[in-house]
Amino acid sequence: MSELTLHVERMSYGPDAIAHTSEGKTVFISGGAVPGDTVSVQVTENSDRFSRGQLVKVLEASEFREPRPNPFVALTGATPWGNIVYEQQLVEKRNSVVSALERIGHFSPDDVSELVKDIVSPGEPWGYRNKIELAFKRNGNKTLVGMYAPNGQDIVRIKDCPLLDKSNQKAVGAVSGALSYLSGSHELDVERIGIRVSRRTKELEVALWTAPSGFPRAQVARVLSDAVKATSVVRVMTKGPSKARRVVGVERLSGSGSWSELIDGQKMQLSAPSFFQVNTKGAEKLVELVLSGLDVQPDDEAMDLYCGAGTFTLPLAKRAGFVSAVEAYGPAVRDLRRNLELAKLDNVDAVGGDAGREFPDTDADVIIVDPPRAGLAPDVIQQLSKQPARAIAYVSCDPATLARDLKRFVEIGSYKPVSVTPVDLFPQTFHVENVCLLKRI
């Protein structure tokens, strides 16, 4: 394959940078190129529409290239944008939202420039995560515990993770060492390890994801508790094919058996399988944007679809008259009901099930939807469009599916988007969260 000299124009919504050949052909460049760089690129794939290439050498560094990148950036694949200065990361993320709305949503550039607000950065660019996951691999008598390398295949050992909350960064090395030690005397078979920490509640949980087979519970609990002063050590047992694992049980090995965090002044308790935003300050900013955008009133009938363990449900229930909350994932539904009890909120109907099949039989005044990356199913958009609600807040973790769904809302004609606010919950990566407000026409 040939080698090209290219000028990098922008980032894709992904780890790759984008450039064009002199003939106008798009080239996706992997390996850490930065907008503004002039680079030498080895072409690895050619098609009629585009090419892919690997960065060989930076010939002229961009002003947007981080002059002293954290060594963690080259070591793992967890920070694909870590070579870009943070201010430019924010520019590129907003641009990716604009691009998706124009290309996929078919909104005009004028409409998009008015629709997409300035990106919000709710916290620090490092040390913002409350959760990190480690990979576990046995190779004969040796055990490797760490994070995936940039190639997504190899596992590298790390002593501390600069993405994790600063007071707990060394927990990664401590947990890795403890599990390596345990593997020397036990046939540990672990799929992955989750570490959750909270600066606010001072809690630290280690969750080991395993198959439901024999397990040295007492030894694992003792060694991990000693290694990191864990407030909770749990085992999450799963079954099924690798791409469709399902949780069949959670065992408390030591401590409380759950992890808690403070958000919007309210303590939330979460079991290891339940989703919670990895950026607590970012989650609070999402809540603030959603509630202020909806302008929730005390007598409002509210709806919260894909509600999880209650990140939006709890603050919504404190402000509205009644909330219908729907969540499909069993562990999250159980956590939601427990969190409502802890908060002493009795004005919520917590329903377990698919949002389309269990769509609340009520006329809502305000609605929140926070679907997974796949976005909203067409039948849910249809049902939402029949609601009399004055506003819908759509929280999205994927600009492409958000753009697709907004196009569907506009085609139906009951609601129109009035603002999209990007929020940087994941610095050093390409991911961006968005809060979109739709108003009834």
Side-chain angles (χ1 to χ4, degrees), residues 130-247:
N130 57 45
K131 182 183 179 183
I132 207 80
E133 287 203 342
L134 301 176
F136 182 100
K137 186 177 181 181
R138 291 188 68 92
N139 189 359
N141 293 327
K142 291 186 178 180
T143 300
L144 195 56
V145 183
M147 300 182 75
Y148 283 108
N151 64 13
Q153 302 296 322
D154 299 327
I155 297 174
V156 293
R157 296 183 188 273
I158 58 168
K159 290 183 178 179
D160 50 54
C161 176
L163 290 174
L164 201 60
D165 176 78
K166 291 176 183 176
S167 60
N168 291 288
Q169 288 178 0
K170 294 191 181 302
V172 174
V175 169
S176 299
L179 290 173
S180 297
Y181 165 76
L182 284 162
S183 295
S185 55
H186 297 88
E187 287 292 320
L188 279 188
D189 187 13
V190 178
E191 295 164 10
R192 57 190 167 101
I193 304 106
I195 304 173
R196 269 179 167 162
V197 300
S198 170
R199 183 184 301 179
R200 300 178 179 189
T201 65
K202 311 300 182 189
E203 293 188 15
L204 186 155
E205 180 175 78
V206 180
L208 306 179
W209 294 67
T210 78
S213 54
F215 196 76
R217 297 170 180 82
Q219 296 94 324
V220 168
R222 177 177 53 79
V223 172
L224 282 175
S225 296
D226 289 346
V228 289
K229 301 296 186 286
T231 56
S232 174
V233 178
V234 298
R235 178 191 180 201
V236 183
M237 293 170 288
T238 62
K239 280 184 178 179
S242 58
K243 292 187 177 179
R245 304 290 278 175
R246 69 184 191 278
V247 173

Side-chain angles (χ1 to χ4, degrees), residues 30-51:
S30 61
V34 166
D37 279 347
T38 299
V39 293
S40 175
V41 176
Q42 181 75 42
V43 177
T44 57
E45 180 186 333
N46 246 327
S47 70
D48 292 339
R49 293 173 53 243
F50 64 88
S51 297

Side-chain angles (χ1 to χ4, degrees), residues 2 23 26 77 183 204 206 218 238 259 276 327 355 402 420:
S2 59
E23 295 81 21
T26 301
S183 295
L204 186 155
V206 180
T238 62
W259 176 80
F276 185 76
E327 169 58 44
L402 173 65
V420 176

Side-chain angles (χ1 to χ4, degrees), residues 355-382:
R357 290 194 295 270
E358 301 294 339
F359 197 92
D361 183 17
T362 183
D363 289 339
D365 298 298
V366 292
I367 299 172
I368 301 172
V369 293
D370 184 11
R373 194 170 302 281
L376 297 171
D379 67 308
V380 174
I381 294 177
Q382 288 284 350

Side-chain angles (χ1 to χ4, degrees), residues 6 19 34 66 80-81 97 107 149 179 201 347 354-355 391 440:
L6 299 170
V34 166
E66 179 60 56
W81 279 19
V97 177
F107 291 90
L179 290 173
T201 65
N347 61 335
D354 175 77
R440 185 159 188 83

Side-chain angles (χ1 to χ4, degrees), residues 178-437:
L179 290 173
S180 297
Y181 165 76
L182 284 162
S183 295
S185 55
H186 297 88
E187 287 292 320
L188 279 188
D189 187 13
V190 178
E191 295 164 10
R192 57 190 167 101
I193 304 106
I195 304 173
R196 269 179 167 162
V197 300
S198 170
R199 183 184 301 179
R200 300 178 179 189
T201 65
K202 311 300 182 189
E203 293 188 15
L204 186 155
E205 180 175 78
V206 180
L208 306 179
W209 294 67
T210 78
S213 54
F215 196 76
R217 297 170 180 82
Q219 296 94 324
V220 168
R222 177 177 53 79
V223 172
L224 282 175
S225 296
D226 289 346
V228 289
K229 301 296 186 286
T231 56
S232 174
V233 178
V234 298
R235 178 191 180 201
V236 183
M237 293 170 288
T238 62
K239 280 184 178 179
S242 58
K243 292 187 177 179
R245 304 290 278 175
R246 69 184 191 278
V247 173
V248 294
V250 179
E251 283 186 340
R252 180 179 67 85
L253 302 184
S254 72
S256 62
S258 65
W259 176 80
S260 69
E261 182 62 295
L262 281 170
I263 180 168
D264 189 48
Q266 179 65 49
K267 192 173 186 179
M268 285 184 66
Q269 216 164 323
L270 295 112
S271 58
S274 280
F275 170 80
F276 185 76
Q277 291 287 4
V278 299
N279 186 330
T280 301
K281 284 186 178 178
E284 284 189 323
K285 177 53 70 173
L286 295 179
V287 171
E288 178 189 318
L289 288 168
V290 165
L291 295 180
S292 63
L294 292 177
D295 189 24
V296 182
Q297 299 300 309
D299 59 349
D300 276 343
E301 179 95 6
M303 192 183 296
D304 186 7
L305 305 184
Y306 315 92
C307 65
T311 302
F312 295 106
T313 311
L314 298 179
L316 185 60
K318 289 179 182 178
R319 294 159 176 82
F322 190 82
V323 181
S324 298
V326 182
E327 169 58 44
Y329 190 48
V333 176
R334 289 189 287 274
D335 287 346
L336 171 63
R337 289 170 177 157
R338 179 171 57 179
N339 286 324
L340 291 170
E341 287 181 18
L342 287 171
K344 296 180 170 59
L345 292 167
D346 58 5
N347 61 335
V348 177
D349 180 20
V351 178
D354 175 77
R357 290 194 295 270
E358 301 294 339
F359 197 92
D361 183 17
T362 183
D363 289 339
D365 298 298
V366 292
I367 299 172
I368 301 172
V369 293
D370 184 11
R373 194 170 302 281
L376 297 171
D379 67 308
V380 174
I381 294 177
Q382 288 284 350
Q383 291 178 87
L384 287 168
S385 295
K386 294 173 183 175
Q387 282 287 310
R390 63 177 181 271
I392 298 173
Y394 184 164
V395 182
S396 167
C397 61
D398 189 284
T401 54
L402 173 65
R404 178 203 67 197
D405 292 348
L406 293 185
K407 181 173 181 284
R408 290 172 177 169
F409 273 112
V410 170
E411 287 170 350
I412 293 170
S414 300
Y415 289 91
K416 68 172 183 178
V418 295
S419 68
V420 176
T421 304
V423 185
D424 188 24
L425 261 66
F426 316 100
Q428 316 308 328
T429 79
F430 57 86
H431 297 289
V432 60
E433 203 84 4
N434 289 281
V435 175
C436 175
L437 190 66

